[in-house]
Amino acid sequence: MKLAVGVAGTAKNTGKTTVLRVLLAEAAAAGIPVGLTSIGYDGEDLDHVTGLPKPRIAVPRGTWVATAQTALRPELEVAESTAVETAVGRVALARAVRPGRAVLAGPATAGGLTEVIARLHRRGARLVLVDGAFGRLAPMTAADGLIIATGAARHREPKLLAREAGAIATLFRLPRWPGDGHPRLRVSGPGGERVLPYPALLDPAWADELAAEAAAVGAREIHLPGSVSREALGRLGSQLDGPLKLVFSHPLHLLAPGEPLAVAEALAALAGRGFELGVERGLSLLAFTINPRYPVRAGGAYQWRAGDGGRLLAAVRQAAGVPVSDVVAEGPAVVWAEVQRLLGRQ
Amino acid sequence: MGERRVLLAPLDPVHDVGLKMVKRALDEAGHATILLPPDLPVEEIVRRAVEHQVDTVLVGRTLGYNVPEELARLVDVMEATGLRSRVRLGVGGMAVRPELAAELGFDRGFGPGTTPAEAVAFVEGRDYQPPAPGEGGRKPDLTAGYSYRVHDPGIARTLETIAAGTVAWARERTTPGVERARIRRQLLAADPGSGAELRQEYLTHCDPRIQAFYREGVPAGRTRPLRREEILALESAAGARRLEPLRLRHRRSRPAVFVQYGTGCPLMDIAHNRVGEGWGADGLVHFDPSWSARCEGLMEGYHTHEEDGSLLTLENLSAVGAARQPWTLWQVRAHRGLNTPETVVLAAAAGADLTKVNMVYGSLGAGTDPGRLLVDGVECLALAAEFGLPLDVVTNEELCGVPAAKAFAGMLIVAAIAVHLGARPLLQPLFCLSPDVMVNGQMDDNFLDYNAAKVHALRAIMDAPIWPGAPIGFLTHTEDRVQSAVTTALHAALASSLDVDAITIASTDEAYSGGAIAAASRVDTLRATAEAFRFFGSAGMAPTGRAREWAGELVEAIGRILEAVLARGTLEVALYQGLLGGPGDGAYPGRAGRGTVSRR
């Protein structure tokens, strides 16, 4: 009945805030109580990374907002403070006493986001919308669903954009094998279970140790929590033989190094050699949204240009395997339907 | 506080000096630090954080192409690796702002001006307490430690004789200004709603336009009362959060730096004062409108206008005063015009820390009748003594053309009267390119010698605090903002080098704006002054031998002038006859309030 949906962007200016505004408006029209937070900082007039003007986040009356106390605006009335800290101060829960605008500075970590979502749900928000942050996805593991905004600002070439979207979607389709969430590299097989002291596969040397342990126990299953570096994963794969289960912790952890194409290719190579791949946990990838506009620097200032929206949409639709929409050109129906479907399923 | 393990990761391929400074501070605080080589890949930094089991990772990086992406990737890999629940993350660099740090997922951002102590506090998980402005967050007493002893016995006798005689002369007289101050005190003490008779009595001592305000509600001087929402905004400004100001001084504890305000609107005043305080100003000086100084009587309530200076009412003053930082010194001037005693009463009631009185300047350079201002000024000084308000004795008559020796003789007389009445004066010589100096060439070579000579001369005469003003560098400023900021900063450095107690500085708009003063122009001179203080530190400027020679000449001339004033019988006569500045010096006895002095 209650859920949290994250809205992330593959790059700046892919339309994340626009999608958030659309979802806020749809939820208000449908009478669904909404909570709003961010894993970064959003809603300011100018982007803190690029300096470009940003769309403002309009909040309908009654919206619950979790943001840093220093970012509170007059239309937000504080109901409770939390112990969740951000770089601009402690997060508070506030309610819009009149329609207004929000500046969001929310929890930067999955742990913080989990707590904030729970508090917003307790306050009556049925749908919590989580605004993403520049270059980060991992805290969104606390959400139930994810919408990814992408577009010409990420790649202007439709084929490349589509390949990347397809690679990202592949990771969300990995089968889920719920496990115990053990936070260390671990192998198990007829020879027993061995646990290494490493929380992720970040170093080729750790991959060597893991491969040696796998060989020692005749491993049938290898648990790879946390992030994996492409280099270390390749090193591990080169020393293993199938059939073998590789259990990752979460699709978003696989995306943390920021190279979705490379990660997907590495996983495909492993699958091609007979390895079974899965994740302990996951979340629903609800949709991609496409923004065909992109900024270019001209004469010392940024200007917006428009890519071929039709080609971008068609290409990504073909590759993604989930709904894809341009919410500005097509309206919110496609994306909102996915959120409603998830709400109903919950 | 247990030992913390801290990983210091310079992402920048070249610049890692910031992290090295932080490392030194952390090492000295007893923490274990691991400083990585620059430019390691994100995965390797996270691997080292795992291996060393650190509590904190501090990243240093000058922002540039693709750097935000790298920083965000580091944070995301830390999160995905499960470290974020127990490892705190900080980022520092010239382009880092708290908002950027929040967007990138760091727990803290350390931007320009951050000290290693702030990073240590972050590592130790405690709030950073910046060194409080003022004296440990309290207001400094600028007059503390001064005896007001006059070193030369002859000058001491002369000053005391003039002071005692002037006080006795003034005490036999009264003026509408003195009467209004008495009634205002009674009104302030009266129960709300009462005092109708007192107000009627007050109005008998006022100009018709002030009478019209009280009787018919017609605001004087193109003012208007503040609207309700503006008054609410004023009240909320008083509760606004405490600032963490930039540090203005480097190593020295003096001089306190004052800025001037008086936009006409108390709300705008508060905004301007916040800028000044935020950029490290220690004190604020209230400017009232010049037309009000020539008008008998003051209005009541919250009022604004678009003229020069902000109206003196208890409400206006209280609102502006309440919005200042707890350590900020606040001066309300009562040095000229027809409302000076009442101004001191209001200043004290509103909680001001200082006032400003100089009957000599006020009557020779600011348009008030000498006799009138002497009576009012003595009352001001007595009130300042009673309320415990130190006051500066400003010598702006130098700007008219009065030579420093005459201006200083007048200042020392007023200071002696203040001391005689139990008040605590601060001597305010001008650091300026005065008309007298332009004509006689004392600054043809440099601005150091003669300004230093002034301070040396005053110190040779009286053990009193010195507060060059107002503002320093008067008549050296131009409309060029860079030039204006530089000349202010250099005069501030000279003041610091001379170890004076306070200075007043102008914004870069002040000399030539002819109108509104932009907040940025306040920042110009405060930043420039901070830079000059940083540049010189505890080192000093070196005036030439001329400074001491001129100081000696000034002391001798001041002695002669004081003797002449004494010989003239009363200070009033000396003022009218130009002994402390006459028509030949560009000084003319003022006319406002002439004929309003009466015998008690």
Side-chain angles (χ1 to χ4, degrees), chain B residues 296-594:
Chain B
E296 299 271 15
L298 297 171
M299 300 197 299
E300 290 178 357
Y302 296 103
H303 293 276
T304 182
H305 67 162
E306 295 181 5
E307 310 287 335
D308 70 316
S310 296
L311 276 182
L312 289 167
T313 69
L314 181 62
E315 291 79 4
N316 277 5
L317 287 175
S318 298
V320 174
R324 73 194 192 274
Q325 300 297 304
W327 55 78
T328 300
L329 290 163
W330 180 39
Q331 182 186 47
V332 177
R333 309 181 312 163
H335 64 306
R336 54 137 168 67
L338 303 176
N339 299 298
T340 56
E342 192 179 351
T343 300
V344 177
V345 170
L346 294 181
D353 305 294
L354 298 145
T355 185
K356 179 188 284 282
V357 181
N358 187 350
M359 302 86 86
V360 177
Y361 159 63
S363 57
L364 296 182
T368 310
D369 174 67
R372 165 65 186 267
L373 196 53
L374 275 184
V375 178
D376 283 4
V378 168
E379 182 70 10
C380 282
L381 294 171
L383 289 168
E386 181 183 342
F387 297 138
L389 282 181
L391 57 117
D392 81 64
V393 189
V394 62
T395 47
N396 279 22
E397 61 265 47
E398 266 203 81
L399 300 176
C400 308
V402 175
K406 288 183 182 175
F408 284 11
M411 168 168 59
L412 288 163
I413 290 170
V414 175
I417 297 170
V419 172
H420 180 87
L421 290 166
R424 297 187 68 79
L426 296 97
L427 306 180
Q428 189 159 91
L430 290 194
F431 273 10
C432 68
L433 182 59
S434 69
D436 177 60
V437 159
M438 289 184 205
V439 170
N440 293 305
Q442 293 96 326
M443 290 188 171
D444 284 356
D445 179 66
N446 67 67
F447 291 160
L448 270 71
D449 289 347
Y450 199 63
N451 285 323
K454 290 176 171 181
V455 172
H456 294 327
L458 291 172
R459 284 186 174 145
I461 294 172
M462 184 184 273
D463 178 35
I466 295 179
W467 175 355
I472 52 169
F474 225 127
L475 297 179
T476 69
H477 301 107
T478 69
E479 66 273 41
D480 181 321
R481 284 174 62 169
V482 173
Q483 184 278 340
S484 201
V486 169
T487 190
T488 289
L490 290 172
H491 281 87
L494 174 62
S496 173
S497 176
L498 292 166
D499 200 26
V500 299
D501 300 276
I503 53 173
T504 302
I505 65 169
S507 68
T508 52
D509 271 349
E510 226 137 308
Y512 280 87
S513 76
I517 288 166
S521 77
R522 299 186 174 281
V523 176
D524 287 346
T525 43
L526 284 162
R527 288 291 293 120
T529 297
E531 208 57 32
F533 287 166
R534 176 65 186 87
F535 184 88
F536 283 98
S538 49
M541 287 185 169
T544 73
R546 292 294 289 155
R548 290 289 174 188
E549 290 172 25
W550 279 327
E553 291 170 15
L554 278 171
V555 172
E556 280 182 27
I558 290 166
R560 285 196 301 274
I561 295 164
L562 292 174
E563 286 298 328
V565 170
L566 181 62
R568 210 52 61 103
T570 68
L571 182 55
E572 184 195 26
V573 172
L575 284 172
Y576 278 118
Q577 294 185 355
L579 268 66
L580 295 169
D585 306 313
Y588 298 87
R591 296 182 178 185
R594 184 164 294 178

Side-chain angles (χ1 to χ4, degrees), chain A residues 10 23 90 136 139 184 196 210 228 233 242 247 290:
Chain A
T10 55
L23 294 177
R90 191 165 280 193
R136 294 186 297 122
R184 295 282 180 267
L196 273 68
L210 193 62
V228 293
L233 187 61
V247 187
I290 303 294

